Amino acid sequence: WQKREISNFDYLMYLNTLAGRSYNDYMQYPVFPWVLADYHSETLNLTNPQTFRDLSKPMGAQTVERKRKFIQRFNEVEKTEGDLSAQCHYCTHYSSAIIVASYLVRMEPFTQTFCSLQGGSFDVADRMFHSVKSTWESASRDNMSDVRELIPEFFYLPEFLTNANHFELGCMQDGTVLGDVQLPPWADGDPHKFILLHRQALESDYVSAHLHCWIDLIFGHKQHGSAAVEAVNTYHPYFYGDKVDLNNIKDPLIKSTILGFISNFGQIPKQV
């Protein structure tokens, strides 16, 4: 990978596999980074560093104000292991079954998966995945309970961006009827062009030079411990598979609560 003999995409898939992530498990689905921060320009400039997301920081620290709020949350909570209010920056996760299913909701079998996770129906239209730009703004700036990253399909599968099955996904409060995913202006409304440019962004010189920083956060030494605290990259203890030994928990209610928590909110990849 350092010699550029394999692509960034292939290397990320390799790391995901080493870390136990698999297409066969929605709760441990392969995780990929947001690589762009420009979803408003008419043309995409892959030579400008401002076009890209800061890969050295987790999604919760993409803006100074948001980072400050998460550090404040961390400092305010006492260390109480085994409690839902344990000390951490994030009580939600960057990859979970519901995040995966929400991205792929326009394709079967993910449509049925999403509905079953939602209790049998689609979510409120305003909360559905409907726009790449608004999803980026939510995950990087606006929503304190949203730190989601991406899935591999954002770099090779245009079909998940179109509502080819004509599902009735609902109507937003502003009157917008949900259909195809709204794409950035530089994609010209064409899912194939979006995937092409997005993949070019992933393989660009800027991302190639900085991707190791993101890998450290997700798969490497900044995943937990003091390095994670310093990087504003700590998650609830239940998300770390090696921190919770379910075999030692005798209370069935506590055990089912922890399992439910993990299945709803996801798991940290195994450290590579």
Side-chain angles (χ1 to χ4, degrees), residues 150-168:
L150 298 183
I151 54 175
E153 284 82 353
F154 272 85
F155 301 94
Y156 69 81
L157 190 69
E159 286 79 11
F160 87 96
L161 298 164
T162 62
N163 188 20
N165 292 314
H166 305 292
F167 292 119
E168 293 185 7

Side-chain angles (χ1 to χ4, degrees), residues 11-21 28 31 94 212 214-224 242 268-272:
Y11 186 55
L12 287 171
M13 283 304 301
Y14 176 67
L15 289 175
N16 270 286
T17 303
L18 285 180
R21 314 295 282 191
Q28 297 197 70
V31 55
Y94 50 76
H212 66 282
W214 183 84
I215 290 169
D216 286 343
L217 293 168
I218 306 300
F219 301 108
H221 76 288
K222 292 183 180 177
Q223 194 190 73
H224 51 240
D242 58 347
I268 301 288
K270 291 176 187 168
Q271 197 169 29
V272 175

Side-chain angles (χ1 to χ4, degrees), residues 3-169:
K3 295 175 184 174
R4 300 284 185 98
E5 291 174 1
I6 61 170
S7 67
N8 290 335
F9 182 92
D10 288 338
Y11 186 55
L12 287 171
M13 283 304 301
Y14 176 67
L15 289 175
N16 270 286
T17 303
L18 285 180
R21 314 295 282 191
S22 166
Y23 283 117
N24 298 323
D25 185 348
Y26 293 161
M27 287 189 289
Q28 297 197 70
Y29 208 76
V31 55
F32 268 60
W34 288 95
V35 293
L36 293 173
D38 182 355
Y39 298 96
H40 55 269
S41 297
E42 294 295 327
T43 56
L44 193 62
N45 183 359
L46 296 180
T47 62
N48 181 3
Q50 300 301 315
T51 299
F52 298 93
R53 166 255 180 106
D54 187 342
L55 287 159
S56 69
K57 296 184 176 74
M59 289 303 291
Q62 289 296 307
T63 69
V64 174
E65 176 62 15
R66 189 164 146 104
K67 180 180 177 182
R68 184 189 65 76
K69 287 180 180 176
F70 280 121
I71 291 173
Q72 183 180 353
R73 172 194 282 176
F74 180 89
N75 291 334
E76 284 175 353
V77 178
E78 293 293 324
K79 280 191 177 176
T80 49
E81 287 290 330
D83 186 11
L84 289 174
S85 62
Q87 187 177 39
C88 61
H89 293 108
Y90 314 114
C91 295
T92 54
H93 198 244
Y94 50 76
S95 175
S96 66
I98 195 68
I99 289 171
V100 172
S102 69
Y103 281 144
L104 300 173
V105 69
R106 290 163 178 79
M107 295 172 57
E108 290 289 15
F110 303 100
T111 313
Q112 295 304 315
T113 301
F114 181 83
C115 288
S116 66
L117 289 169
Q118 280 292 129
S121 63
F122 291 120
D123 198 358
V124 176
D126 287 79
R127 290 203 299 258
M128 295 279 284
F129 172 53
H130 66 277
S131 158
V132 178
K133 178 175 181 281
S134 67
T135 303
W136 159 255
E137 289 172 349
S138 171
S140 67
R141 187 188 72 200
D142 296 339
N143 187 345
M144 290 290 284
S145 62
D146 182 4
V147 292
R148 79 185 82 174
E149 293 279 7
L150 298 183
I151 54 175
E153 284 82 353
F154 272 85
F155 301 94
Y156 69 81
L157 190 69
E159 286 79 11
F160 87 96
L161 298 164
T162 62
N163 188 20
N165 292 314
H166 305 292
F167 292 119
E168 293 185 7
L169 301 171

